[in-house]
Amino acid sequence: MTAPDKALRDVGVSIDKPSAARVYDYFIGGHTNYAVDRLFAEKVRQRLPLIGDYCQASRQYLGRAVRQCVRAGIRQFVDLGSGLPTAGNVHEIADDERPEHDVRVLYLDNEPVALAHSQILLARTADPERHQALAADMLQPGELWERVLDSDVIDTAQPIGLILSAVLHFIEDDQDPDGMLAFYRAQLAPGSLLVLSQMTDENPADEEEKQALVDLITYYATTTNPGVLRTKAEFERFFGGWPLLHPGLGYVPAFYPDPETMFADAPSESRVIGGIARKP
């Protein structure tokens, strides 16, 4: 069975709970989601009307961050918890930024549907020598990194752009995100860039929004991906003390905004924080 055939078969896995990846896909206008995901998403939207805008702001940040990494000299990316392919994938952004088409990208995810669709997309549209999607669980860093080493896509002796975009809010503290990220940081060559983002509950606009964010976490506890929101102080530790690129740690619309950037005039209203750090 070919990889695309196997991927198509895996798309048919049973779904009895909403998936965070597919809900996110729905919120940013994708089409790889199911009724169970859409019903859940609309329930969340009723409680937190701007949740779709928050997700879109997060996706926009990923694109701008990849462009910044490429401009800073990064020629290979490892995207952990890459989720479902939709507009603005890392390899598409990198190739748009580099007409030489010399940037390599490895996507890793542990959700069968997300992985299957990624493999189908790459088989149809990408360069198999430079772009791959593999199954791996970021919470098992040793096993995941073995897959990176075996991929023939990534040269770990050279700087890497390591991306964890909009996934850390699905890793609770008792799952040891600190140890996980310490492991990944240790694997990277000097000059590598670490791109992180997640939702925050810091500085809600009022008591109503504060309670809505609490309810958001309660809702996600019923999905395949329970979540946790963090303040900037709680989030900053994930960079391991590495120096942050301008503009530092903050709300993502403030990072390299362009005319399309949502919440550019009021970044804190995006509810998403992020940063890019360089390994000394």
Side-chain angles (χ1 to χ4, degrees):
M1 181 181 291
T2 66
D5 288 340
K6 182 179 183 299
L8 283 168
R9 183 197 65 187
D10 290 343
V11 170
V13 297
S14 63
I15 48 168
D16 57 3
K17 281 187 175 183
S19 152
R22 299 192 305 265
V23 170
Y24 182 78
D25 174 75
Y26 175 71
F27 277 137
I28 63 176
H31 303 287
T32 311
N33 48 75
Y34 303 100
V36 65
D37 307 304
R38 295 188 288 272
L39 288 170
F40 175 81
E42 290 307 325
K43 175 183 176 182
V44 173
R45 200 197 302 271
Q46 287 180 6
R47 189 68 187 92
L48 200 62
L50 291 179
I51 184 66
D53 292 345
Y54 302 157
C55 292
Q56 291 185 51
S58 178
R59 187 69 177 184
Q60 289 181 339
Y61 166 70
L62 171 64
R64 299 194 306 275
V66 168
R67 290 188 183 278
Q68 186 66 20
C69 289
V70 172
R71 292 169 186 170
I74 295 296
R75 298 294 178 265
Q76 53 182 357
F77 290 89
V78 174
D79 187 355
L80 302 186
S82 51
L84 287 154
T86 187
N89 293 294
V90 173
H91 71 282
E92 295 168 330
I93 297 163
D95 279 357
D96 182 64
E97 187 66 28
R98 287 282 298 176
E100 297 87 345
H101 289 183
D102 58 354
V103 179
R104 302 182 301 280
V105 180
L106 184 61
Y107 299 99
L108 298 114
D109 204 293
N110 68 339
E111 183 180 88
V113 175
L115 176 68
H117 279 280
S118 295
Q119 291 174 336
I120 292 167
L121 172 73
L122 295 181
R124 291 174 178 169
T125 67
D127 180 350
E129 294 186 0
R130 295 188 297 122
H131 311 133
Q132 289 184 19
L134 302 177
D137 186 344
M138 71 175 70
L139 292 174
Q140 298 177 353
E143 294 180 15
L144 182 146
W145 206 253
E146 284 296 323
R147 301 228 65 190
V148 174
L149 295 171
D150 293 342
S151 69
D152 295 326
V153 173
I154 302 298
D155 179 0
T156 56
Q158 300 299 318
I160 293 170
L162 181 66
I163 299 170
L164 288 87
S165 176
V167 294
L168 285 167
H169 44 239
F170 296 118
I171 302 177
E172 299 176 285
D173 285 346
D174 62 7
Q175 295 174 290
D176 193 22
D178 301 271
M180 177 192 75
L181 279 162
F183 176 90
Y184 291 130
R185 291 194 305 266
Q187 311 313 307
L188 301 178
S192 293
L193 295 178
L194 178 62
V195 179
L196 305 179
S197 68
Q198 83 149 81
M199 279 194 68
T200 181
D201 56 359
E202 190 167 28
N203 299 324
D206 50 35
E207 287 299 315
E208 173 63 20
E209 185 181 42
K210 180 178 180 180
Q211 185 58 50
L213 292 168
V214 172
D215 293 343
L216 176 69
I217 295 304
T218 301
Y219 289 172
Y220 268 90
T222 68
T223 74
T224 58
N225 308 94
V228 57
L229 303 181
R230 295 183 174 94
T231 66
K232 284 187 284 187
E234 292 168 334
F235 176 69
E236 186 173 13
R237 71 186 196 265
F238 295 142
F239 293 98
W242 291 3
L244 289 154
L245 272 58
H246 179 80
L249 177 76
Y251 291 95
V252 298
F255 288 79
Y256 330 110
D258 57 34
E260 304 301 318
T261 300
M262 301 177 67
F263 300 104
D265 294 334
S268 64
E269 294 180 8
S270 71
R271 297 280 111 224
V272 183
I273 52 177
I276 305 174
R278 185 186 300 276
K279 184 169 185 175

